[in-house]
């Protein structure tokens, strides 16, 4: 076994060395700054939203051992273990890679608890995409020691994606390639995701988003898998998330088989000591446009892939229907899979187990959910930009009207509503408590007033739904009952010359508290205390929107001035004409607050 591992390690090291030399040659062949210049040039638009995360590139088809994982003596396992001591090396995850998966799970659990992302799913994808970063060949910060690059995405068997990063990530100036431990294509890393802001993430807190870093890549993959309000405890959401990574039924079954294997127990091993996968499947386009598999390295052909060890395989060449987590697919006759639900291990090589498990007593049937009933406020209200005063709440009931605990309920918002659950989500899944109640997390209104509907549905039973009307009211106009200068310095200028920049600063308050966002009108007025009107001489403003010859025309009333977040307002620059004297500037608000400021203009040449 040690000799085999050394051969695999040498083979992996040789391939990574070649990739490194190619990357170095591409970089060295360019003039200084050429790569940056290429990256700065106008790039092609991002690929369509349904482009697979890895571009439909190649992936490893090695499957887990048939026996459940058992850690070597003295190691620290992470999960349930059963069966004989088989496959401990396959169950071993390199320390830094394992830490990255768990860190990503923890981060997403904090920001998006309704997704229920298990780190073992990241491990299953990491195994299939890169063999756990080539057996854990990463430095102490989690960055791969050598580039991990997929084939050129030139449309020959894969997606066609012209270069989008100027070779920054993949060293390829003509087409994109999948990069790093989780095999993100550059266009997906930097341009994909919501609003084309990119799925890239900073998982290790170093201020960078690097697809070659396993912490960054794992967190980015987690965000993608949870996108769109997915709940990964729901089989349909889980399947769609994995298929979005690589749209292939074979890929789905392979990832699910590793996911189930890791859920039954893993253990930590030193970096660089992971098992290197051997078999790689080359992708090709099937008739329906989905990415299928053309086997390589003794795994069969594109027309007759080997299903003998794949979950769901029956030898017919037809993919099996994915099952629930822990049960990747329904096996064909004589097929066995890691982590059977009853805790037993199948006999090596298939066939009948060597011993018959003791049947466990069947648990009592759980109450069947037949209805959702409103338990909270019928209608929800909030002011624009603030949280709703109450959260949607429903009660799950059985046919007898009794509460049903542990039932998943999904709360969904229309995307156009502007309102969002925590994490900027439009859907969350909540499990009912012992009283059968499911309460949505705090709901924050958008910036615009309007009305929309929040819908609560029983997961897997869309016919059971409760609608809540939600109304967002406009923010009340900011008020100010007092205006005051922030300085008592005399305001002076010479005729024909402007006052100092920001000469006039005022503060607005309402009932003694700073008033932000208050509209203020500034007018140059005559000195008639009973009937002040706009002055036609003396200090003036300029129109900021005027052009050409109109730019210097005097403007003696300015509207649209607003106090900042601290209740402060610095008036625009004040100019003077040829008239000396003492002039008045009157500042007013809609609530009746008034402040009069004296402006003294000395004669020119004095």
């Amino acid at each position: 076994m040690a000799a085999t591992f050394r051969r695999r390690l040498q083979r992996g090291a040789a391939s990574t060395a070649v990739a490194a030399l190619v990357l170095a040659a591409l970089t060295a062949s360019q003039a200084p700054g050429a790569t940056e210049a290429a990256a700065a040039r106008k790039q092609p638009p991002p690929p369509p939203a349904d482009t697979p995360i890895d571009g439909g590139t190649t992936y490893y088809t090695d499957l887990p051992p048939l026996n459940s994982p058992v850690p070597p003596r003295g190691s620290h396992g992470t999960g349930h273990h059963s069966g004989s001591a088989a496959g401990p090396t396959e169950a071993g995850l390199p320390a830094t890679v394992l830490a990255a998966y768990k860190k990503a799970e923890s981060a997403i659990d904090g920001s998006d608890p309704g997704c229920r992302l298990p780190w073992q799913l990241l491990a299953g994808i990491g195994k299939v995409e890169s063999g756990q970063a080539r057996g854990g060949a990463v430095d102490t910060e989690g960055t791969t020691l050598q580039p991990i690059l997929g084939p050129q995405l030139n449309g020959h068997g894969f997606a066609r994606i012209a270069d989008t990063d100027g070779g920054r990530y993949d060293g390829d100036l003509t087409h994109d390639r999948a990069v790093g431990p989780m095999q993100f294509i550059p266009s997906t890393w930097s341009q994909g995701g919501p609003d084309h802001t990119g799925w890239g993430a900073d998982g290790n807190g170093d201020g960078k988003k690097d697809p070659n870093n396993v912490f960054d890549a794992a967190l980015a993959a987690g965000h993608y898998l949870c996108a769109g309000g997915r709940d990964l405890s729901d089989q349909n959401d889980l399947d769609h998330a994995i298929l979005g990574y690589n749209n292939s039924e074979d890929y789905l079954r392979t990832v699910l088989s590793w996911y189930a294997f890791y859920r039954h127990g893993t253990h930590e091993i030193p970096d660089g000591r992971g098992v290197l996968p051997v078999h790689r499947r080359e992708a090709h386009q099937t008739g329906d446009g989905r990415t299928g598999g053309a086997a390589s390295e003794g795994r069969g052909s594109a027309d007759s892939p080997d299903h003998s060890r794949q979950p769901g395989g029956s030898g017919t060449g037809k993919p099996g229907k994915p099952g629930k987590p822990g049960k990747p697919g329904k096996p064909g006759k004589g097929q066995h899979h890691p982590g059977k639900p009853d805790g037993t291990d199948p006999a090596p090589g298939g066939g009948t187990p060597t011993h018959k498990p003791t049947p466990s007593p069947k648990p009592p049937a759980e109450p069947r959910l037949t209805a959702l009933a409103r338990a909270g406020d019928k209608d929800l209200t909030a002011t624009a930009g603030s949280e709703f005063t109450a959260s949607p709440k429903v009660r799950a009931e059985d046919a007898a009207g009794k509460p049903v605990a542990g039932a998943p309920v999904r709360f969904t918002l229309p995307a156009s509503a502007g309102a969002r659950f925590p994490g900027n989500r439009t859907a969350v899944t909540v499990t009912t408590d012992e009283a059968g109640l499911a309460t949505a997390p705090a709901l924050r209104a958008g910036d615009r007033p309007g009305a929309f509907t929040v819908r609560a549905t029983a997961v897997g039973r869309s016919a059971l739904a409760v609608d809540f009307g939600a109304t967002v009211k406009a923010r009340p106009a900011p008020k100010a009952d007092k205006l005051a200068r922030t300085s008592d310095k005399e305001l002076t200028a010479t005729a024909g010359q402007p006052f100092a920049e920001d000469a006039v600063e005022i503060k607005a308050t309402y009932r003694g508290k700073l008033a932000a966002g208050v509209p203020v009108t500034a007018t140059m007025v005559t000195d008639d205390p009973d009937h002040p009107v706009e002055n036609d001489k003396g200090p003036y403003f300029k129109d900021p929107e005027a052009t050409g010859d109109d730019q210097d025309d005097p403007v003696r009333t300015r509207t649209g001035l607003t106090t900042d977040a601290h209740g402060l307002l610095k008036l625009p620059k004040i100019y003077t004409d040829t008239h000396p004297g003492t002039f008045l500037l009157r500042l007013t608000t809609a609530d009746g607050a008034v402040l009069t400021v004296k402006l003294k203009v000395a004669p020119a040449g004095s």
Side-chain angles (χ1 to χ4, degrees), residues 69 120 255-265 325-328 338-339:
Q120 293 93 338
V255 169
L256 286 175
S257 67
W258 282 107
Y259 170 46
F261 181 75
Y262 290 136
R263 280 169 62 92
H264 279 74
K327 298 188 292 182

Side-chain angles (χ1 to χ4, degrees), residues 392-396 407 409 411 430-433 436-440:
K393 181 189 295 185
V394 295
R395 182 173 185 262
V409 175
F411 295 90
V430 179
T431 302
T432 57
D433 60 18
L437 296 176
T439 304

Side-chain angles (χ1 to χ4, degrees), residues 351-374:
T352 305
T354 56
H355 64 279
K356 199 169 185 178
T358 303
S360 301
K362 291 185 178 180
E366 295 185 0
R368 178 177 174 80
L369 174 62
T370 60
L372 288 180
R374 189 189 314 276

Side-chain angles (χ1 to χ4, degrees), residues 41 165 261 287 289 387 556 575 587:
R41 74 184 190 273
D165 67 332
F261 181 75
E387 287 189 357
R556 290 190 166 88
Y575 299 85
L587 303 164

